[in-house]
């Protein structure tokens, strides 16, 4: 099968299509692109997936053979640490061998831009074009230098931790004596939060959950959503007060949370709490959210007087906004986030970072002396908005066409007793409903799946709207 790129690179099934030979082909194309840009150095890292170290070595050898100096991570590292390394070292780009939150059978070649974040669509398209142009002869770069460039070991942890020192309130964190846990899900975040607590001399009591790296991710997909967090929820049921668990996905760029009592604190709640916390720290700038995000972010921005930019789904759009802000101070971004738990904030890299965001949540608790649910309840009171959110991922039948279904949904005048007040077509079809509710239908570009998102002002309304929206798809 041909190698097909997605939004930030290439993912495929290990041994079936994700092979040493194909990794060499993609690395060859990547090298051609970097050299054409005048690049001379590149960062290579990998997560905890099967043969990650081997695939990273193949990529490093290929990139070095093309004449690029390669900074090769020694052992697994989080994706945000690799992105940080690209920026800190002034490299032309980077690659992470990871499939992020995908099932254990997958791996991937995730491209990083020189700014220290996910590759823009233009970078991805250029590397893919280089791959196509090299044809079946891939894996060898034309016009090779007489001698390969060097491969040097990369240990970025100390510099990454030092950068976080400059972003966090260390005095408040060092005084805090509460309990915090980290569920690494067997992924690349394993040991990185514990390591930071030790590095910074923090006083929190720490516990690890699924903290040993494993390519099987303890039998679940390494995505911090409720169906994969039953073990963590069970372990947290006995906890009380301000205790919570930071959850990071397979490559530790996404963050999730389970609070005391065993309750999932979703990505929208995390976004809202961190946004208000950053504001209270005195930081300002634009706020960027994807169209599937909660309306509470809109209300909070209005209350705080912050400009809000809404984008289609995909962190690449948030990265674009951050990069605009780096060239124009009037467009600087305070925070950007997506429904899947990817969040970035001002002062750090323009990249999702589950490790940093977890520590920033700990800072919010330490500074306020309040639990995360209490902090979110304050935001609900401040905005006059209640947050009840649900999502269903539904398989389309053979006869269902996305265009036909989109047209049908777009003509609805009511749904589950709620009037349709407007239609947002920024990404899929989002019905703006009476009673501060919405129902959104978004179609996958790679598989026959429609994702249905619903938010309402009560649990009962949310369930009714989600059921009605689901019935439109399933019949």
């Amino acid at each position: 099968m041909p190698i097909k790129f997605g939004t930030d690179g290439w993912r495929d099934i290990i041994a079936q299509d994700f092979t040493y030979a194909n990794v060499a082909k993609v690395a060859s194309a990547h090298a051609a692109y970097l050299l054409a840009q005048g690049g001379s150095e590149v960062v290579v890292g990998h997560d905890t997936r099967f043969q990650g170290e081997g695939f990273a070595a193949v990529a490093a050898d290929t990139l070095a053979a093309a004449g690029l100096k390669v900074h090769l991570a020694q052992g697994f590292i989080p994706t945000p640490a690799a992105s940080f390394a690209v920026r800190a070292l002034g490299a032309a780009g980077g690659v992470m061998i990871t499939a992020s939150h995908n099932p254990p059978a997958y791996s991937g070649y995730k491209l990083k831009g020189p700014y220290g974040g996910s590759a823009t669509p233009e970078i991805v398209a250029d590397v893919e074009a280089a791959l196509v142009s090299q044809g079946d002869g891939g894996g060898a770069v034309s016009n090779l230098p007489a001698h390969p460039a060097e491969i040097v070991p990369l240990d970025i942890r100390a510099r990454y931790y030092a950068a976080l020192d400059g972003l966090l309130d260390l005095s408040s964190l060092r005084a805090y004596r509460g309990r915090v846990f980290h569920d690494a899900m067997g992924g690349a975040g394993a040991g990185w939060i514990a390591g930071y607590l030790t590095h910074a001399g923090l006083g929190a009591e720490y516990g690890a959950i699924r903290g040993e790296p494993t390519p099987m991710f303890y039998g679940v997909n390494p995505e911090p959503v409720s169906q994969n967090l039953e073990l963590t929820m069970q372990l947290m049921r006995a906890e009380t007060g301000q205790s919570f668990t930071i959850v990071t996905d397979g490559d530790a760029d996404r963050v999730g949370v389970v609070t005391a009592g065993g309750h999932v604190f979703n990505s929208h709640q995390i976004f809202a709490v961190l946004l208000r916390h950053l504001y209270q720290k005195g930081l300002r700038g634009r706020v960027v959210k994807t169209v599937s995000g909660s309306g509470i972010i809109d209300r909070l921005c209005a209350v705080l007087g912050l400009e809000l930019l809404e984008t289609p789904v995909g962190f690449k759009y948030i990265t674009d906004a951050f990069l605009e802000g780096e060239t124009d101070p009037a467009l600087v971004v305070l925070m950007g986030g997506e429904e899947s738990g990817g969040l970035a904030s001002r002062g750090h890299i323009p990249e999702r970072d589950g490790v940093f965001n977890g520590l920033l949540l700990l800072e919010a608790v330490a500074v306020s002396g309040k639990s995360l649910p209490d902090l979110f309840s304050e935001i609900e009171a401040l905005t006059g908005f209640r947050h009840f959110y649900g999502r269903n991922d539904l398989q389309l039948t053979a006869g269902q066409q996305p265009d036909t279904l989109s047209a049908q949904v777009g003509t609805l005048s009511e749904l589950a007793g709620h009037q349709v007040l407007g239609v947002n077509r920024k990404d899929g079809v989002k019905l703006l409903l009476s009673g501060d509710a919405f129902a959104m239908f978004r179609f996958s570009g790679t598989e026959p799946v429609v994702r249905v998102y619903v938010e309402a002002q009560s649990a009962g309304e949310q369930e009714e709207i989600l059921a009605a929206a689901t019935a439109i798809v399933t019949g």
Side-chain angles (χ1 to χ4, degrees):
M1 289 180 64
I3 297 170
K4 293 184 178 180
F5 278 37
T7 54
D8 57 2
W10 165 54
R11 299 183 196 187
D12 236 318
I13 296 176
I14 299 169
Q16 178 174 299
D17 290 300
F18 200 89
T19 61
Y20 280 0
N22 281 342
V23 167
K25 289 180 181 179
V26 174
S28 174
H30 190 195
Y33 165 77
L34 292 172
L35 292 168
Q37 301 301 308
S40 60
E41 300 186 37
V42 63
V43 170
V44 177
H46 66 88
D47 66 6
T48 63
R49 289 171 185 271
F50 179 71
Q51 277 293 299
E53 185 175 7
F55 289 126
V58 169
D61 288 343
T62 306
L63 292 161
L68 292 161
K69 180 179 180 180
V70 179
H71 300 269
L72 177 60
Q74 305 301 288
F76 66 84
I77 62 172
T79 285
S83 293
F84 173 83
V86 171
R87 188 159 181 156
L89 297 172
V95 54
M96 266 293 291
I97 301 297
T98 177
S100 190
H101 60 284
N102 287 97
Y106 285 81
S107 192
Y109 192 106
K110 186 183 281 191
L111 298 162
K112 296 298 170 187
Y115 39 82
S118 297
T120 62
E122 291 75 20
I123 293 174
V124 175
D126 285 348
V127 175
E128 189 170 24
L131 179 66
V132 172
S133 68
Q134 71 185 11
D136 292 335
V141 183
S142 59
N143 302 316
L144 289 178
H147 302 286
E150 64 179 320
I151 298 176
V152 297
L154 170 68
D155 186 355
I156 198 64
R157 188 186 292 246
R159 289 184 68 174
Y160 172 77
Y161 282 170
L164 298 192
D165 288 345
L167 298 171
L168 295 166
D169 180 351
L170 292 181
S171 60
S172 295
L173 284 167
R174 285 170 179 155
Y176 183 67
R177 293 295 181 269
R179 289 161 63 85
V180 65
F181 302 84
H182 177 208
D183 178 2
M185 304 190 81
W192 280 70
I193 286 176
Y196 184 79
L197 298 183
T198 300
H199 155 86
L202 305 192
E205 183 181 345
Y206 173 81
I209 300 171
R210 295 190 285 198
E212 290 295 321
T214 168
M216 297 308 296
F217 304 112
Y218 293 85
V220 300
N221 293 348
E223 182 177 11
V225 293
S226 56
Q227 60 264 37
N228 301 327
L229 299 177
E230 291 182 5
L231 172 65
T232 309
M233 293 162 67
Q234 179 180 348
L235 293 173
M236 288 297 294
R237 284 185 189 124
E239 292 293 317
T240 58
Q242 298 168 17
S243 297
F244 70 99
T245 295
I246 301 162
V247 187
T248 50
D249 73 334
D251 67 334
D253 62 354
R254 298 185 183 187
V255 67
V257 164
V258 179
T259 58
H263 307 291
V264 172
F265 194 74
N266 71 33
S267 61
H268 312 279
Q269 294 170 304
I270 293 170
F271 191 165
V273 166
L274 288 183
L275 175 57
R276 186 183 182 213
H277 177 62
L278 292 171
Y279 182 90
Q280 290 174 329
K281 290 180 71 168
L283 297 173
R284 299 292 185 271
R286 294 188 298 167
V287 177
V288 188
K289 70 180 267 282
T290 55
V291 67
S292 59
S294 170
I296 202 164
I297 303 301
D298 304 59
R299 307 311 194 281
L300 183 57
C301 286
V303 169
L304 300 180
L306 298 172
E307 178 186 352
L308 177 67
L309 173 65
E310 186 178 77
T311 73
V313 174
F315 202 81
K316 60 186 178 183
Y317 301 106
I318 297 171
T319 297
D320 285 344
F322 269 97
L323 296 180
E324 287 176 350
E326 290 186 359
T327 58
D328 184 349
L331 299 177
V332 68
V333 174
L334 171 59
M335 186 173 181
E338 57 182 352
E339 182 253 345
S340 62
L343 303 162
S345 57
R346 182 174 182 174
H348 195 31
I349 50 176
E351 170 75 291
R352 296 165 285 199
D353 188 341
V355 173
F356 172 59
N357 286 317
L359 292 167
L360 197 58
L361 287 167
L362 183 63
E363 178 187 277
V365 170
V367 169
S368 67
K370 299 171 183 175
S371 70
L372 294 175
D374 285 346
L375 289 172
F376 186 72
S377 293
E378 287 183 353
I379 293 171
E380 287 186 312
L382 180 68
T383 59
F385 188 90
R386 300 296 307 283
H387 168 73
F388 295 90
Y389 194 99
R391 167 178 159 178
N392 276 342
D393 290 2
L394 307 170
Q395 290 284 330
L396 294 174
T397 63
Q400 288 181 304
Q401 297 299 320
D403 290 346
T404 303
L405 193 53
S406 292
Q408 176 190 350
V409 170
T411 62
L412 294 175
S413 60
E414 69 88 29
L415 185 66
H418 291 259
Q419 286 185 307
V420 176
L421 303 179
V423 180
N424 181 333
R425 297 185 183 274
K426 197 162 289 181
D427 194 336
V429 182
K430 182 177 181 180
L431 304 178
L432 308 177
L433 305 175
S434 59
D436 281 328
F438 78 75
M440 177 174 162
F441 300 76
R442 179 173 174 267
F443 301 91
S444 170
T446 58
E447 54 187 335
V449 170
V450 58
R451 294 180 173 87
V452 179
Y453 312 80
V454 165
E455 184 172 46
Q457 293 292 289
S458 71
E461 288 178 302
Q462 181 262 308
E463 291 167 1
E464 290 172 0
I465 297 171
L466 185 58
T470 298
I472 292 173
V473 179
T474 63

